[in-house]
Amino acid sequence: GYLLKADGHRVETASNPLYALSLVRQFAPEVIFIDIGLPYMDGHKAGEKLRSSFKGARIYAITGRSDEETRRKSSEVGFDGHLVKPVDYKLIQGLLRDGASP
């Protein structure tokens, strides 16, 4: 988040998906990065809820898993991309600048 702020982006962070779902209603983000391994709610489920509420936002899954099943589920949920940790900051910058999907 700090690097994004330093680059001039408005950034809000949530430590759990329940707070994130509340926060996005106030913030109305253009881009959402969501970790799949979340407390209280699976990141894919949270992604579904975010996608239904914010159809215009680009939503990217972040996870340590790169297997086909996890990527398929991210695609089915409607994520715009699936990023595997550790995520290169230059990739994040490219996504924000160009909207290209990894």
Side-chain angles (χ1 to χ4, degrees):
Y2 298 110
L3 292 174
L4 292 171
K5 285 180 182 180
D7 278 349
H9 299 283
R10 182 171 168 216
V11 177
E12 296 289 338
T13 58
S15 58
N16 71 67
L18 301 176
Y19 176 57
L21 292 168
S22 172
L23 179 65
V24 295
R25 288 183 185 89
Q26 301 164 20
F27 184 50
E30 294 176 16
V31 179
I32 300 169
F33 295 98
I34 186 167
D35 197 316
I36 298 301
L38 297 172
Y40 310 114
M41 181 186 301
D42 173 86
H44 285 116
K45 184 69 170 172
E48 285 178 316
K49 290 179 179 291
L50 289 166
R51 173 56 68 214
S52 67
S53 297
F54 296 93
K55 297 187 186 327
R58 288 181 285 137
I59 304 175
Y60 297 96
I62 298 177
T63 180
R65 298 182 61 187
S66 62
D67 61 278
E68 283 304 311
E69 176 66 19
T70 303
R71 287 181 181 275
R72 182 190 57 75
K73 191 163 185 179
S74 292
S75 179
E76 287 176 358
V77 166
F79 286 121
D80 294 288
H82 183 95
L83 310 175
V84 179
K85 295 177 192 176
V87 180
D88 182 350
Y89 186 65
K90 289 185 185 214
L91 175 62
I92 298 283
Q93 288 175 311
L95 292 173
L96 293 173
R97 181 183 59 248
D98 306 327
S101 180

